[in-house]
Amino acid sequence: MISFDAEIRVGYKDTDKMGIVHHSNYIVYYEMARVAALRAWGLSYDEMEKRGIISPILDVSSKYIQPAYFDDLLTVRAFIEEMPMVRMKVRYEIYNQEGTLINTGHTTLGFLNAETRRPCRVPQYVVEGLAKLGL
């Protein structure tokens, strides 16, 4: 298992009339953490796309435990627990600035050939990069 922590400051635009982070923003936070993690690990989405691979979301879930509010500093922890083959599963935990777990979730991403839009295996350089990190 490998993990990465991304810090995200809640913007005013992210909150609803009650002053609470709107539920849809947690999925955006997942994406921000996942993109940052892959970049930090040397496996950017941009590079995959340049090599002709796109990676759409196939499945997403989110469990809301406690609310987050405007200007909270959140830590979004992204986990990859198994080597991806044709799908990559990423699990998330979101903590507020007090260290309280406020949200959990997961996404499943597929890998497609950008030209044909047909499923393909995870690029070998991604597998090798994740293996170097201990996955």
Side-chain angles (χ1 to χ4, degrees):
M1 174 175 58
I2 56 175
S3 67
F4 179 84
D5 287 359
E7 287 192 341
I8 296 172
R9 178 74 63 181
V10 174
Y12 186 77
K13 67 173 180 50
D14 295 342
T15 61
D16 60 19
K17 194 171 183 174
M18 297 177 287
I20 295 171
V21 170
H22 190 268
H23 65 276
S24 63
N25 287 302
Y26 289 90
I27 295 165
V28 174
Y29 299 159
Y30 298 164
E31 180 177 359
M32 293 169 69
R34 185 176 63 251
V35 169
L38 290 173
R39 184 181 308 112
W41 297 332
L43 304 168
S44 76
Y45 273 114
D46 187 47
E47 182 62 28
M48 273 196 288
E49 289 177 355
K50 286 177 183 174
R51 293 182 183 207
I53 303 294
I54 55 176
S55 190
I57 295 287
L58 304 175
D59 178 56
V60 63
S61 74
S62 189
K63 181 178 178 184
Y64 309 98
I65 301 166
Q66 289 189 18
Y69 302 92
F70 168 67
D71 209 37
D72 279 357
L73 183 61
L74 305 178
T75 300
V76 183
R77 185 164 295 144
F79 300 89
I80 299 177
E81 299 175 324
E82 58 188 42
M83 188 62 75
M85 294 304 183
V86 274
R87 294 185 175 138
M88 181 168 63
K89 295 179 182 181
V90 184
R91 186 172 58 85
Y92 308 91
E93 295 175 351
I94 301 181
Y95 297 87
N96 64 17
Q97 61 267 6
E98 287 83 32
T100 302
L101 180 66
I102 64 167
N103 179 277
T104 61
H106 82 269
T107 55
T108 303
L109 293 87
F111 292 88
L112 302 178
N113 178 297
E115 189 175 310
T116 65
R117 303 288 173 145
R118 303 280 302 160
C120 62
R121 293 183 68 78
V122 174
Q124 187 59 34
Y125 77 93
V126 172
V127 172
E128 291 169 0
L130 294 173
K132 287 180 187 176
L133 295 166
L135 186 62

